[in-house]
Amino acid sequence: MIWVVVAILAVALAGAAALAVYAATLRHKVEDVAAELAVLAGHGAQARALVERLELDRLRRH
């Protein structure tokens, strides 16, 4: 009887460990996506600034 309880606890512990590893992997993936979005946002801001500067240059010429 005690072996059944020990086996159930071992399976539950292994499942919890596997879930912790999965959660850590998922967190790293989310962090990677967030970093990529930050880079894209930076490029978007640079592009907007360039367009604004080009528009000002065009307006000054006319």
Side-chain angles (χ1 to χ4, degrees):
M1 182 66 176
I2 190 76
W3 293 109
V4 172
V5 173
V6 170
I8 291 172
L9 290 176
V11 169
L13 185 59
L19 187 58
V21 169
Y22 176 73
T25 301
L26 187 60
R27 190 187 88 228
H28 287 298
K29 288 180 182 178
V30 168
E31 290 171 352
D32 290 344
V33 169
E36 288 293 326
L37 288 175
V39 169
L40 290 174
H43 289 311
Q46 289 174 349
R48 280 190 301 276
L50 177 62
V51 167
E52 288 175 7
R53 193 171 72 224
L54 291 173
E55 286 177 353
L56 287 175
D57 288 344
R58 183 181 58 84
L59 289 175
R60 287 183 191 145
R61 288 186 194 144
H62 288 112

